[in-house]
Amino acid sequence: GQNIDQPTEMTATEGAIVQINCTYQTSGFNGLFWYQQHAGEAPTFLSYNVLDGLEEKGRFSSFLSRSKGYSYLLLKELQMKDSASYLCAVFIPNGNKLVFGAGTILRVKS
Amino acid sequence: DADVTQTPRNRITKTGKRIMLECSQTKGHDRMYWYRQDPGLGLRLIYYSFDVKDINKGEISDGYSVSRQAQAKFSLSLESAIPNQTALYFCATEPSGRGTGELFFGEGSRLTVL
């Protein structure tokens, strides 16, 4: 089976930095993805890691360690609009499909 | 206009009724997916298709069926709806040849089964 774990909820302050962790145990691995989903809306792609290390994209960065089955999404200079659910997902080569974690609800307070 | 369009956006129905959710896309992508989303469970894959007439079961296909008669359309059917199929359903597309997992989602169809 596939197991992808992330915290259920987090709260952070506007302007701060927050790190959302994701651990995974899957039958195969071909990349780790982060999606953002605002309440009542569709998920949208944020980032993709297939090799170990840090990928930076503006205020958002994503890190991957394949040996540890671990990733995190780092959000800097938090804004109120960053309040959303953040979904960690692993691409499984057997079947070529994306398997999602339950998501982390991030609340940004002023 | 949205590139991935789902209809209906909201539907309330009764147990035992047949329901069809439609998905159409203008992105020209070969790969299409149906997910359902439940609070605390995240997105779970129901069915997926990599080409016209290609159908593959996902994690939770029981009680559902799909049809891919054209590249742009992927329909999800509930032959006899039951209350635990109440959920938010998302259709998604992905370009073929990349397999990178970057999906493009529709706006969702909220289904309530009474």
Side-chain angles (χ1 to χ4, degrees):
Chain A
Q2 322 297 352
N3 197 32
I4 301 173
D5 289 320
Q6 44 183 137
T8 304
E9 295 184 17
M10 299 181 72
T11 301
T13 304
E14 194 175 16
I17 299 173
V18 71
Q19 177 174 312
I20 302 174
N21 296 323
C22 172
T23 57
Y24 63 91
Q25 290 175 303
T26 56
S27 57
F29 176 88
N30 201 20
L32 189 135
F33 295 77
W34 286 94
Y35 281 76
Q36 181 190 60
Q37 185 179 23
H38 286 100
E41 297 182 11
T44 55
F45 170 79
L46 278 181
S47 70
Y48 164 55
N49 294 69
V50 66
L51 299 176
D52 291 352
L54 189 68
E55 294 281 342
E56 297 187 74
K57 195 189 267 188
R59 293 189 300 114
F60 292 7
S61 304
S62 56
F63 172 82
L64 175 66
S65 169
R66 288 172 295 171
S67 62
K68 295 182 180 178
Y70 168 69
S71 173
Y72 67 73
L73 180 69
L74 193 70
L75 292 76
K76 303 176 186 175
E77 301 169 13
L78 277 174
Q79 302 175 10
M80 298 300 289
K81 68 178 182 179
D82 296 330
S83 292
S85 184
Y86 291 86
L87 312 177
C88 174
V90 172
F91 193 82
I92 308 294
N94 180 16
N96 282 306
K97 55 184 184 282
L98 203 58
V99 178
F100 285 84
T104 299
I105 298 171
L106 174 65
R107 295 189 174 87
V108 180
K109 58 180 183 178
S110 57
Chain B
D1 288 339
D3 294 322
V4 183
T5 303
Q6 294 183 226
T7 56
R9 295 290 313 281
N10 287 283
R11 182 72 183 269
I12 300 174
T13 191
K14 295 182 178 179
T15 297
K17 294 291 188 181
R18 184 177 187 274
I19 295 297
M20 180 179 287
L21 305 180
E22 309 261 15
C23 178
S24 63
Q25 52 119 346
T26 58
K27 299 187 80 66
H29 292 168
D30 287 326
R31 301 182 179 201
M32 297 187 75
Y33 303 80
W34 274 106
Y35 285 89
R36 66 175 278 177
Q37 188 172 40
D38 301 274
L41 294 177
L43 287 159
R44 292 182 292 166
L45 183 62
I46 306 172
Y47 271 98
Y48 59 106
S49 168
F50 287 165
D51 204 347
V52 176
K53 301 296 175 76
D54 175 66
I55 301 294
N56 304 281
K57 291 184 177 181
E59 307 167 61
I60 53 165
S61 57
D62 288 349
Y64 301 95
S65 62
V66 290
S67 172
R68 183 88 186 274
Q69 297 293 330
Q71 188 209 37
K73 296 185 184 298
F74 192 34
S75 302
L76 176 71
S77 293
L78 289 68
E79 296 300 326
S80 180
I82 56 177
N84 77 0
Q85 292 177 312
T86 293
L88 182 57
Y89 291 85
F90 284 102
C91 173
T93 72
E94 180 192 12
S96 62
R98 284 167 55 177
T100 61
E102 182 178 349
L103 304 183
F104 297 83
F105 285 86
E107 294 176 327
S109 297
R110 185 169 295 281
L111 177 65
T112 303
V113 184
L114 301 177

